[in-house]
Amino acid sequence: MGLRQESSDNNYSVTPSPGKQFSIAIVGGGLAGLSLAIGLVQRGIPVQIYEGATEWTDAGAGLVFAKNSMAAMEKISPDIYRAFAKRSSGQGWESKKTTYMDYRDGSTDGELVTSVTCANTGQESVHRTLFAKDLVALLPSGTFHMGKRLVAIDNRPDGGYTLRWADGQSADADVVVGSDGIKSKCRQLLLGEDSPEAVPKFAKEFAYRGMVPMERAVAVLGEEFARNSMVNIGSDCLTTTYPVEKGTLLNLVACRSIDTWEHDEWVVPSSQEAVRKDFAGCGPVMQKVISMMDKPAMWALFDHPECSTFYKGRFALIGDAAHASTPHQGAGCGQAFEDALVMCSLLEDEHVVSAAHVEDALEAYDAVRRPRTLKIVNTSRENGEICMMRGEETGDDLGKIKATLDQRFHWIWHEDLDQQIRQAKSKMREVSEARHYNGAVK
């Protein structure tokens, strides 16, 4: 079932494939939108994906995944998982292959607090931009469009939508999925631009980020600390490091708590002197990590801890547009793949044929995905507090921190994805039957 793109007067439209009588526009070309697009295309569902950026950047370059995320990739499309495996990096030492993360006392020379394990998979990490480019290559020609910044969405008389871009062009679709990141325009349009839920919330912390060649990291940190993933726990601060790009690079993150963000921009240039001041008093390993921040910038951390709905009509949100998270559980991006899996599974269902059926599918998606993802957003914030020795129940007690870290990730990793899909499809049937019973026969 092929896709056919037609253009006229610089406007794009999609001709549905036989069997599925609706077209989908995905707004945002990050990992959420790309994985959804690949899954839909491979299931014979017409899709076009529109990315606002005009070129690729390395923002948020390193990403961490565990077993639930990798399983979701495989279930959406084996091609996605193969692209991931081509670039992913695990722990560098064979003895740590099942380790998710080593948590260390940042006031010391790397004394181990606990080694958190994720059986069979450990942790895998990847360079975000390079992985995204590989996913674009899996899409049919003419499906992915850059430089399409959304400014408005108009409702059409037939129940579909017209998307309007900043360049003056437009596109029509029966269904719209917003995957346009934490600053999502789609979220604002869906929830209402005056809604408090429409804008991200400051998470009371900022981060310095960097990426250095592994050879340099080994010279600074030593073999064990450079080639394996670790979090250094500090008072009101932490550092996280992990290898990416088949172990050739080390991703660096150094977070610091702060009550307010006074800048208009989310990313503010800084200096090595400011970084040293922010991490003064930390132990030698943390000092070595921050010493590799060659061109430091302060990145304010925001998230979306609340959302009353992920859909309205045939318009839905996925990924960071729905549930952007802080990085402290390494679970935020993985939820984008779970989103895509559930949505693909619903839309490919034999009972979803026309555009009128899609609303039932999106209601079911919202019912299943929203509780889990928002719990991840809020527990990620909580884990950041714990690892900066600010946890309400753990404070600076390393014994309590260890006990919490040893068990707090299991519910994320050991999710039954097939059960999620069954639950979503059951909910969709329930919604559809209720509409039929109430006279909204399609």
Side-chain angles (χ1 to χ4, degrees), residues 19-30:
K20 296 293 184 181
Q21 300 165 18
F22 55 88
S23 60
I24 298 178
I26 298 173
V27 180

Side-chain angles (χ1 to χ4, degrees), residues 1-228:
M1 295 183 176
L3 298 181
R4 187 166 72 251
Q5 179 187 338
E6 300 176 342
S7 62
S8 175
D9 298 325
N10 293 322
N11 296 333
Y12 298 98
S13 63
V14 178
T15 301
S17 298
K20 296 293 184 181
Q21 300 165 18
F22 55 88
S23 60
I24 298 178
I26 298 173
V27 180
L31 296 180
L34 289 168
S35 59
L36 177 63
I38 293 165
L40 293 173
V41 165
Q42 294 187 357
R43 288 161 174 80
I45 300 174
V47 63
Q48 294 284 301
I49 182 166
Y50 303 94
E51 165 57 38
T54 57
E55 61 183 5
W56 295 100
T57 69
D58 286 338
L63 296 171
V64 169
F65 299 92
K67 61 181 296 182
N68 60 301
S69 311
M70 292 181 270
M73 293 179 203
E74 180 79 35
K75 289 176 181 292
I76 298 167
S77 166
D79 292 338
I80 293 177
Y81 182 75
R82 282 191 287 269
F84 172 78
K86 183 180 75 173
R87 294 198 177 277
S88 66
S89 303
Q91 305 289 1
W93 286 13
E94 189 64 33
S95 60
K96 292 180 177 289
K97 287 301 182 184
T98 62
T99 299
Y100 182 71
M101 190 74 72
D102 283 339
Y103 288 85
R104 300 183 178 277
D105 181 353
S107 67
T108 70
D109 196 11
E111 181 179 333
L112 187 68
V113 175
T114 189
S115 186
V116 177
T117 60
C118 184
N120 301 324
T121 63
Q123 177 223 86
E124 294 285 332
S125 50
V126 73
H127 190 294
R128 173 191 176 276
T129 303
L130 298 177
F131 183 30
K133 289 180 178 180
D134 290 342
L135 295 189
V136 171
L138 297 177
L139 290 167
S141 177
T143 302
F144 184 80
H145 312 274
M146 295 193 80
K148 295 298 179 185
R149 183 171 64 84
L150 183 71
V151 294
I153 297 179
D154 300 332
N155 294 311
R156 298 201 323 250
D158 64 357
Y161 304 93
T162 297
L163 297 86
R164 303 201 177 279
W165 316 116
D167 62 8
Q169 299 181 11
S170 63
D172 293 331
D174 298 311
V175 180
V176 174
V177 179
S179 61
D180 48 340
I182 189 170
K183 297 181 181 180
S184 171
K185 180 66 173 180
C186 286
R187 185 184 179 98
Q188 295 172 22
L189 295 173
L190 189 146
L191 296 174
E193 295 185 272
D194 295 331
S195 170
E197 294 182 348
V199 295
K201 305 300 185 292
F202 180 55
K204 296 188 176 182
E205 57 181 306
F206 68 90
Y208 297 104
R209 294 173 173 173
M211 192 172 287
V212 297
M214 184 57 72
E215 293 81 2
R216 178 183 175 190
V218 169
V220 173
L221 293 172
E223 286 282 341
E224 180 180 4
F225 291 173
R227 297 194 185 278
N228 301 288

